[in-house]
Structure formats: C-alpha cells, structure tokens
Amino acid sequence: MKNILLIILISVFTSSFSQVKIDTSEVKSVRYEWKVDSKKKDTILNQILTEYKSGIYKEVFPNFKKKHHRYPFINIFESKTEYLNKKIKSNLKVHFWSVSNGFQKNFYDEFGYLDSIYFNYHKDSLIEKKYKVEKVYKRKGKLNYLINKFGEKEEHFYSLFGNLKRIEKSNDSVTFLTEYFKNGKIAEVTYRSGIEFNYEYDKNGRVIKFNDRTRTYHYRYNDSELSSIEKVLTRKNILYERILFTYNPNGILIEKKEYKKTGGKERLINEYKYTYK
C-alpha cells in the first residue's frame, strides 16, 4: 500500500506542474486512535496516523460500511508543526487527498507556495480539472502576490528588513481579509465583515491562546513540551462544548476528551485513547 501511494504522489500529469518531492520510505511512528465506549467498557479503532521521517503524515479512517472504494479515504500532508494544532499550522501542505470517488493532488514550488492543483472525480463519468496558480515573486523568493483558484488575489507586504508584515486577500479589488504578522508569527486575522481572530504567545514564542467569535484554544506547556490543548466553544458567550487534548512529558498525545453542557451540567460525551508503535 505504501509503495502504491508513493507512486501516486510522485507522478506528474503535465510538465507545467511542479512539485516538492515526498519521501514515504521510512516510518517514524504509527499512532492508533481508540474510541472508548464507557458503557461496554471497550475500545473501537477510529483512526490510524502514520508519521514518516520526512515529516509526511498519512491519515486513514478504517471503519467504513463499504470495505472497498475506488479511492480509499486517505489524507496525506506535510507539516513541521504538531498534527492537532491546525490553527497554528501555517505551513500545512496537502499533497494528496482522496475520498470515495475522487482525489486531489496539490503541488508546491521550491519556495513552498501552492503551484498547481490536479482534481480527478470518477462517479458516473470522469471529471478532470487542472489548475495552475499565478504567482509573482520579488527578490530572494519573497512572494509579491498570487491568484488562487477562486480568482482571489493574495498580496504579501514586508518590512524594510524583509520580514512579512501582512497578507491582504481581495476579490474584484476589494480587500475582504487581512492577516497581520509579528516577529514571524501570525498575530491577527481581520475580515471585512468585522470578524477577528487573535493569537497570543509566551516569551518563548509558543502560542498560548487563539480565539475567534465562538471558539477559544488554550495551549499549556511543561518545561519544554506541549502538555495540553483545551478547545472551548461558546454560543452567545455561554459555554456549550469543551475538548481537552492531553500530552505526556515528551509532548506525545495520549488522550482526548469531549465534553458537552446539557441541562446546566457538563458531561463527558466521547473519550479517545492513543497508542503508538
């Protein structure tokens, strides 16, 4: 299975598409997510996550009603940050994504920016789409702007020292989203509608809080590693759901608990345990 995936990932459909090479030859770890059934006192395998030495991850959901799909439900992506911290994963690169009847491959240029997309959907008939991202660079690989597949323009602005200050996204010359950066880290995201996302960091540059209108993420650390993430969801400023991720002293995820507030009381609704090999 690994060799088949590797062949799919490194194939190129047209010479105008470029890509970052992916190495899935050496496995670093395999993580199993077990959903705990407290009533039956049993566990069900819910997810398998493979981490490769190169930093590539393969996510597989094994429990399907149908055992055989034309394309299995698999996500393969590359990231240098922790898998679960999706809100701070600014360098997330999805190389291969597939579900049921189709798959999508994203390719990146030498600077790590999205370069092209290939989409294949096969149900009653085959649909193929190829999209080349329009990009303009400044000197030393600094991106000036790109035009994404929705026709939106993403402009990058830098300080006199070459540090990224902000990214403005616009449609028909109207800016609808602005991302602000400080000390190389994203600090604020502002939408034209008035919605804001905010990030807070500790003195070591580690994110400790992220929030938008309905969600707040709290990141806690021991001396050197992440110890827990708490995701709090609110509705009209009232807490209604909470998710707690717990890590061991080495920063490895060992448990996830999902709580929901019903009848004025917070109740545990789902619990997950993690094993590794």
Side-chain angles (χ1 to χ4, degrees), residues 1-3 5 9 22-33 45 47-62 73-79 81 83 89 274-277:
M1 184 65 175
K2 181 172 65 178
N3 293 333
L5 287 172
L9 286 166
I22 299 174
D23 180 11
T24 59
S25 61
E26 191 174 357
V27 174
K28 181 179 179 182
S29 68
V30 180
R31 189 183 82 186
Y32 298 90
E33 178 184 271
L45 183 60
Q47 180 194 65
I48 302 172
L49 183 70
T50 303
E51 179 185 2
Y52 298 96
K53 287 285 187 180
S54 60
I56 309 299
Y57 295 83
K58 180 177 70 175
E59 181 184 27
V60 180
F61 298 88
F73 193 111
I74 295 174
N75 295 294
I76 295 181
F77 54 88
E78 179 183 20
S79 174
T81 55
Y83 166 70
K89 193 182 294 182
Y274 297 89
T275 58
Y276 297 80
K277 75 171 186 179

Side-chain angles (χ1 to χ4, degrees), residues 33-46 256-257 268-273:
E33 178 184 271
W34 301 90
K35 186 173 182 179
V36 180
D37 189 327
S38 56
K39 292 182 179 180
K40 296 181 180 179
K41 295 183 180 180
D42 195 8
T43 55
I44 300 171
L45 183 60
N46 189 64
K256 179 174 74 170
K257 292 184 177 180
L268 178 65
I269 56 173
N270 284 313
E271 183 177 0
Y272 301 86
K273 300 287 185 182

Side-chain angles (χ1 to χ4, degrees), residues 8 68-74 96-103 120-122 126:
I8 294 173
H68 302 287
H69 291 289
R70 180 176 175 84
Y71 304 106
F73 193 111
I74 295 174
F96 178 89
W97 176 87
S98 69
V99 56
S100 297
N101 296 305
F103 68 87
N120 177 310
Y121 183 78
H122 191 290
L126 177 65

Side-chain angles (χ1 to χ4, degrees), residues 142-157:
K142 299 288 186 182
L143 185 65
N144 187 357
Y145 72 85
L146 63 80
I147 307 295
N148 64 30
K149 67 179 181 179
F150 304 108
E152 299 164 346
K153 187 175 185 179
E154 301 180 12
E155 293 186 84
H156 290 225
F157 297 87

